[in-house]
Amino acid sequence: MRIDLDVASRGSDSVRRYSFDLASIRIGRGDDCELALPSDLLLGRRQCSLEWHAGTLFLFPLRGTGETLLNSTRVQRPLPLSAGDIIEVGSQVIKVLFVPPELSYPSGAPRRLTLRVTEPGGSPRIVDTEAALLRLCQGTASDLYLGEAKPSKLVAQDPVEALLFWSAAGMPHLLVHKYSAKVERNGEPVFGVTALLEGDTLTLGGAQIEVREIVSPVEPPPPPLGLLIFDGDAAPRWQFFPRSRVEVGSDKHADLQLQSPGQPSHGFAIERRGGRPMLLPGSAPVYLNFAKPPAAVELQHGDRIACGEALLHVDRQTPPPLKAVATEHRITLLLTSADEDPRELFLKGDSTRIGTTPQSTIEWPTDDELLVDLVVLWHPDGWPLLHVGMWSAEVMLDGQKLRRCTLTPLHVGARIEAAGTTAIVREIVPRPVTQPTS
């Protein structure tokens, strides 16, 4: 792509224009530079370079003797350029003019990289970043800290110098500069620029960086992970997590903090890998559908995760509500038992616990010493559901026995039977208009 450089000596009104249609333009005193300015003794032999990579024009400071300024700020790292930027080197002021490529996505579209960074002798850590550009090198100059460079001549002369950046086509790329120490992608050395894919592993400067997830601006973001959370005696609640990793435990810094007794500080994690949510067991016992998973396992819609006294239902189908809507939720039940006259119950709010437990807000009549534990709650898609507790007595819905710790849609006319008492759903407000969630 064409680049025009308007060059003026500092303090002079005379401007010279140089035009190039090259992938790389070196600026300096040397004869081998595409823009050679041999009369400027303040300029290094190879001061800086302008380079096109995957539709982005970069300014690279080289190992010249003088400073390189971009828009009056000293440049110590590769940076992308915009049309009209001003570069100052030696005694020269250079205005960079070019036509940037059209983006194939809206400029404000979401993008995110999820990386797993492991340093020698260190514990892996997850990095979620929406930055358009990340510098990768040793020490504090890196946007992903990779440890201090070792005090050896080899490292001092050949440090890692690489970039992670988003191209105009909306995909992340790895750029390794020509003077960088070796960088490998999936065990093969990288020269120049290469596109990144989910599952790639980068090896550089003694560290490993795994590409766990790519949220591209040209593709719709993956739906947030929905969880229905039963946490001890608290009312059940829905939460949606757009992030690629959710840490669950009692620690105050956990993404999902659980309050029920016996919760470990770091119970387990849910991490999106390749667009799929995976359950990652931790040091504390965790159960998936009441069986202990041997290792990381993909979560399916309707799965149940148990940790201590907490129970989580996985929802991979429902989008989160765009905003809270002040809508009245009401369900009317006609309750009939052997020792009482029929009576109506009005269930209001997002959830109601019915049964014989001390935590129940409405008592379920029974002559037997049976534990009945039911929760009637509303799904975010506007459909009422019935949940049967783990230790509840047998519950029948329309003549069918319900499995414990499952969610079952309710409808007008539904017949709930438990411990000699029957409840018939007489009314649902608002009346659901969608299909029930399985």
Side-chain angles (χ1 to χ4, degrees):
M1 295 181 65
R2 173 170 168 163
I3 302 173
D4 293 325
L5 300 179
D6 288 348
V7 182
S9 297
R10 191 174 284 107
S12 172
D13 294 332
S14 176
V15 178
R16 296 153 287 162
R17 171 162 288 192
Y18 299 86
S19 297
F20 302 90
D21 193 5
L22 301 171
S24 176
I25 304 167
R26 288 169 297 180
I27 302 173
R29 284 188 298 110
D31 294 339
D32 57 348
C33 291
E34 286 70 30
L35 179 56
L37 303 168
S39 62
D40 190 344
L41 300 181
L42 298 177
L43 200 58
R45 287 188 56 80
R46 297 181 185 86
Q47 181 72 40
C48 63
S49 68
L50 309 182
E51 301 180 17
W52 283 108
H53 292 286
T56 301
L57 182 62
F58 285 93
L59 168 64
F60 279 86
L62 300 178
R63 295 174 183 176
T65 56
E67 290 185 340
T68 299
L69 303 180
L70 175 61
N71 300 325
S72 301
T73 301
R74 184 183 179 187
V75 176
Q76 296 179 299
R77 56 182 293 180
L79 291 174
L81 291 172
S82 300
D85 280 348
I86 302 297
I87 299 172
E88 298 175 65
V89 288
S91 59
Q92 308 299 314
V93 179
I94 304 172
K95 186 175 184 178
V96 184
L97 301 172
F98 62 94
V99 178
E102 291 187 9
L103 298 179
S104 57
Y105 56 91
S107 59
R111 59 187 170 200
R112 188 178 74 244
L113 276 177
T114 300
L115 309 172
R116 186 175 187 261
V117 182
T118 306
E119 295 183 67
S123 299
R125 68 183 191 276
I126 298 296
V127 176
D128 274 321
T129 176
E130 299 175 0
L133 182 144
L134 295 174
R135 184 187 184 187
L136 304 179
C137 61
Q138 286 105 334
T140 56
S142 177
D143 292 318
L144 296 179
Y145 184 72
L146 299 179
E148 295 291 348
K150 296 179 181 178
S152 68
K153 291 183 179 180
L154 176 64
V155 173
Q157 293 174 358
D158 295 308
V160 168
E161 187 60 77
L163 298 175
L164 294 180
F165 72 97
W166 291 87
S167 71
M171 289 300 296
H173 285 68
L174 170 68
L175 169 60
V176 179
H177 202 259
K178 63 190 71 176
Y179 60 72
S180 173
K182 183 172 70 172
V183 176
E184 293 184 346
R185 172 177 173 260
N186 302 329
E188 298 292 331
V190 177
F191 303 99
V193 66
T194 181
L196 292 179
L197 301 174
E198 290 181 347
D200 282 349
T201 298
L202 310 179
T203 305
L204 66 165
Q208 275 197 342
I209 300 177
E210 301 171 46
V211 182
R212 285 297 181 88
E213 184 182 19
I214 297 172
V215 176
S216 170
V218 298
E219 299 175 352
L225 175 69
L227 295 175
L228 172 60
I229 303 155
F230 288 85
D231 187 9
D233 295 335
R237 67 186 189 275
W238 295 92
Q239 277 189 244
F240 292 86
F241 297 89
R243 296 179 61 84
S244 64
R245 184 178 176 90
V246 181
E247 296 280 353
V248 183
S250 60
D251 187 87
K252 64 179 181 180
H253 300 296
D255 302 299
L256 174 53
Q257 185 180 6
L258 299 176
Q259 306 290 343
S260 59
Q263 288 298 326
S265 58
H266 301 283
F268 60 93
I270 300 173
E271 182 175 294
R272 198 188 303 273
R273 296 182 179 177
R276 302 176 302 167
M278 308 290 291
L279 173 65
L280 307 181
S283 57
V286 61
Y287 299 88
L288 178 63
N289 300 324
F290 307 106
K292 195 170 184 178
V297 61
E298 182 179 358
L299 293 173
Q300 305 295 336
H301 179 75
D303 278 349
R304 294 154 294 166
I305 304 170
C307 184
E309 296 185 21
L311 177 68
L312 283 63
H313 289 260
V314 177
D315 189 332
R316 292 186 59 179
Q317 297 181 357
T318 308
L322 297 178
K323 60 180 181 179
V325 179
T327 302
E328 180 189 11
H329 285 162
R330 185 176 78 248
I331 298 175
T332 304
L333 300 179
L334 180 62
L335 199 67
T336 304
S337 64
D339 298 333
E340 295 184 6
D341 294 331
R343 59 188 175 98
E344 284 191 327
L345 296 178
F346 299 96
L347 313 184
K348 297 183 179 181
D350 292 334
S351 66
T352 306
R353 193 167 183 176
I354 309 172
T356 58
T357 70
Q359 295 79 24
S360 299
T361 55
I362 295 180
E363 184 181 357
W364 184 270
T366 175
D367 287 336
D368 300 319
E369 294 184 359
L370 293 176
L371 175 68
V372 177
D373 190 15
L374 307 175
V375 176
V376 177
L377 67 153
W378 288 82
H379 192 280
D381 68 2
W383 201 275
L385 304 170
L386 177 65
H387 181 274
V388 181
M390 168 63 79
W391 310 112
S392 178
E394 181 179 285
V395 178
M396 309 287 288
L397 179 65
D398 295 332
Q400 299 293 322
K401 181 181 176 180
L402 296 181
R403 293 173 57 198
R404 294 174 177 85
C405 298
T406 56
L407 296 171
T408 307
L410 290 176
H411 58 89
V412 174
R415 185 183 183 91
I416 306 168
E417 298 173 87
T421 297
T422 301
I424 299 175
V425 179
R426 298 286 297 273
E427 181 185 35
I428 298 176
V429 178
R431 186 73 177 265
V433 295
T434 60
Q435 292 297 316
T437 302
S438 59

